[in-house]
């Protein structure tokens, strides 16, 4: 469940950082508070599940395949941001690129971890990233942080909450 913790924290960060104008201040604050509460919920379920699981069998998430994907992700992430800057693409496109790369990272990890459930949020993040990159070249550029940032955060938080809840139920039934 450690991956869920990471997903929830990054989801909350996506929302907190990207909830901004053109949204009204009340909506911004509601989104930020909801994101932090959702992440806190995942943390609470993580601790409850970890306490019940004890020293049970744990799989090695950090295999060679994982390291290759993370290295490729870092290169694509930082290299892509530099390319976007060199092309004078609006700064709002950065969050779209981040969402796209993070989404592809989940899709690439699904077969390595033999966990196809992470491909779903990965595909969603990738699509939200592409949508933001398209929006960045239009007059709707101010909406990129909402589409690629806030919605990506919501996807990560919802996926983390669902999986943590499901894990909690499986652990308590077992």
């Amino acid at each position: 469940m450690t991956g869920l913790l990471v997903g929830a924290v990054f989801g909350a960060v996506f929302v907190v950082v990207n909830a901004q104008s053109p949204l009204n201040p009340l909506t911004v604050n509601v989104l930020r508070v909801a994101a932090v509460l959702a992440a806190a919920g995942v943390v609470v379920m993580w601790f409850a599940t970890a306490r019940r699981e004890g020293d049970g069998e744990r799989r090695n998430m950090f295999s060679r395949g994982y390291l290759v994907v993370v290295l490729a992700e870092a290169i694509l992430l930082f290299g892509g941001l530099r390319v976007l800057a060199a092309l004078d693409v609006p700064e709002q496109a950065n969050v779209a690129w981040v969402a796209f790369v993070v989404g592809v990272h989940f899709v690439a990890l699904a077969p390595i971890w033999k966990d196809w459930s992470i491909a779903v949020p990965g595909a969603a993040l990738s699509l939200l990233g592409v949508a933001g990159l398209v929006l960045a070249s239009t007059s709707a550029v101010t909406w990129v942080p909402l589409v690629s940032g806030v919605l990506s955060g919501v996807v990560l938080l919802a996926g983390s909450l669902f999986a943590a809840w499901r894990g909690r139920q499986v652990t308590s039934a077992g």
Side-chain angles (χ1 to χ4, degrees):
M1 284 192 53
T2 301
L4 299 179
L5 205 69
V6 173
V9 169
F10 277 104
V13 169
F14 261 110
V15 173
V16 169
V17 169
N18 292 293
Q20 56 187 317
S21 178
L23 298 174
N24 69 54
L26 177 62
T27 303
V28 166
N29 288 330
V30 167
L31 286 168
R32 289 177 176 170
V33 168
V36 170
L37 290 174
V42 172
V43 170
V44 167
M45 286 186 270
W46 182 82
F47 276 113
T49 302
R51 188 174 325 131
R52 267 187 251 135
E53 285 180 350
D55 292 331
E57 181 181 326
R58 302 199 194 286
R59 66 184 174 132
N60 181 14
M61 294 177 57
F62 308 111
S63 65
R64 171 180 266 153
Y66 168 83
L67 296 174
V68 168
V69 169
V70 169
L71 178 62
E73 178 184 25
I75 291 167
L76 285 171
L77 184 65
F78 295 110
L81 291 174
R82 296 201 49 132
V83 168
L84 291 174
L87 295 174
D88 288 327
V89 174
E91 187 178 310
Q92 292 90 332
N94 290 350
V95 70
W97 181 250
V98 171
F100 175 75
V101 172
V102 170
V104 169
H105 145 263
F106 283 125
V107 172
L109 284 176
I112 292 168
W113 285 348
K114 295 174 182 45
D115 181 0
W116 292 100
S117 68
I118 65 171
V120 174
L125 262 65
S126 298
L127 291 173
L128 290 167
V130 169
L133 289 169
V134 170
L135 280 176
S137 64
T138 72
S139 61
V141 67
T142 58
W143 289 96
V144 173
L146 173 70
V147 171
S148 297
V150 173
L151 294 180
S152 291
V154 169
V155 166
L156 286 171
L157 285 163
S160 296
L161 278 168
F162 174 76
W165 182 259
R166 191 179 69 203
R168 187 178 159 277
Q169 301 294 37
V170 168
T171 302
S172 63

